[in-house]
Amino acid sequence: MNDTLSLLMNHKSIRKYTDQQVTEEQLNRIIEAGQMASSSSSVQAYSVIAVSEPEQKRALSALAGNQKYIEECSVFLVWCADLYRLKKVTEAQIGDQPTYVDSTENFIVATVDAALAAQNAAIAAESMGLGIVYIGGVRNQIAEFAEQLNLPELVYPVFGMCVGYPDQDPGIRPRLPLGSVLHHGAYDARRTVDEVKTYDNTYTEYMRARSGGKPVAGWSSFMAKRLAEPVRLHMKDFLNSKGFLKR
């Protein structure tokens, strides 16, 4: 176990922060580390909006489900898939030729690029003693959220990331067994499901300890409840309105 593996294996989502602020130099290094992530064909189809002004964080928090740690963290990073830049800088070269910037493939490229860069940035932040938590709630009221940030066509917020100095030490949430995730040569449909039976027990014990002994269902029950909820069904229409997924 080297230092890098130790850092990765001890990731914890931090939802409570001290008043100590992330410096501009730290923020720059974090984003620069994100930029060193792999990118499909070097497209680099993402942008990051750093929000540190209290009133703006408060407004964004309200749109993201009133998650207080957005207000309390030092800086809130909004990771955006961004094909606008690509479209604009190539217009002169392309001229009247048709383009496929609005294709499903390019949407995937931009979304994956943003996710890869964000995870690099998260590890960089944690290496500095900072804590992070990803915020999918930016998609709760995504049209209003995008308007708050003045996002143009072909840009959408994939997720947010709170960054700051931790004021808590939560336990490490257990992951699925390796055997349920790692397949050799071909997908093992039976094994990936069977392994979850063990994980259900592990997850129940973890959540029971975290909730102070309250009865908790297993991971599969939690996932069943989640899949039965109509979550963010507005996303397709919003993405279409922003010029994504046209073909």
Side-chain angles (χ1 to χ4, degrees):
M1 182 74 76
N2 58 40
D3 290 345
T4 302
L5 284 173
S6 180
L7 183 66
L8 291 166
M9 298 301 290
N10 284 281
H11 165 72
K12 304 168 185 177
S13 292
I14 301 299
R15 295 177 173 85
K16 188 177 181 183
Y17 301 91
T18 71
D19 293 333
Q20 186 175 354
Q21 298 299 299
V22 174
T23 67
E24 189 70 20
E25 182 179 2
Q26 285 176 312
L27 176 60
N28 290 343
R29 296 296 86 77
I30 288 167
I31 301 304
E32 286 173 342
Q35 288 186 270
M36 295 308 296
S38 297
S39 171
S40 179
S41 300
S42 197
V43 172
Q44 302 171 77
Y46 59 90
S47 290
V48 190
I49 300 175
V51 181
S52 55
E53 199 277 320
E55 193 60 37
Q56 189 179 14
K57 286 193 294 182
R58 192 172 299 115
L60 295 178
S61 174
L63 293 172
N66 292 307
Q67 299 182 68
K68 297 296 289 185
Y69 23 96
I70 295 176
E71 297 182 50
E72 295 164 357
C73 69
S74 176
V75 60
F76 183 55
L77 303 179
V78 183
W79 293 86
C80 301
D82 182 356
L83 293 172
Y84 172 84
R85 177 173 56 237
L86 192 66
K87 177 184 178 181
K88 289 299 179 181
V89 302
T90 58
E91 282 179 341
Q93 292 91 338
I94 290 176
D96 294 332
Q97 298 178 64
T99 76
Y100 298 90
V101 69
D102 57 2
S103 70
T104 299
E105 170 61 14
N106 280 324
F107 168 79
I108 293 172
V109 165
T111 303
V112 171
D113 268 10
L116 292 175
Q119 188 59 17
N120 252 32
I123 299 305
E126 291 179 343
S127 77
M128 299 177 187
L130 301 168
I132 70 99
V133 64
Y134 283 98
I135 306 294
V138 304
R139 303 189 300 276
N140 285 1
Q141 300 182 68
I142 193 166
E144 295 84 353
F145 201 94
E147 185 177 358
Q148 280 276 343
L149 298 177
N150 197 32
L151 300 186
E153 62 170 341
L154 294 171
V155 180
Y156 88 95
V158 184
F159 44 69
M161 179 192 290
C162 295
V163 184
Y165 283 89
D167 194 25
Q168 63 175 178
D169 186 17
I172 298 173
R173 187 185 294 264
R175 272 23 182 195
L176 284 163
L178 184 63
S180 184
V181 175
L182 177 62
H183 304 262
H184 292 279
Y187 192 95
D188 189 335
R190 181 191 59 79
R191 184 178 181 185
T192 197
V193 173
D194 287 349
E195 291 273 356
V196 173
K197 297 174 183 176
T198 300
Y199 183 61
D200 270 341
N201 295 328
T202 303
Y203 188 85
T204 296
E205 290 305 312
Y206 165 79
M207 293 302 293
R208 182 180 291 123
R210 183 168 172 170
S211 65
K214 295 179 181 178
V216 181
W219 177 80
S220 58
S221 295
F222 178 65
M223 290 297 108
K225 181 180 178 182
R226 186 182 187 282
L227 290 180
E229 295 176 350
V231 177
R232 301 173 188 144
L233 298 184
H234 55 262
M235 282 300 301
K236 183 178 180 182
D237 287 342
F238 171 79
L239 291 170
N240 287 160
S241 75
K242 279 294 189 179
F244 292 101
L245 300 166
K246 296 294 186 180
R247 64 187 103 185

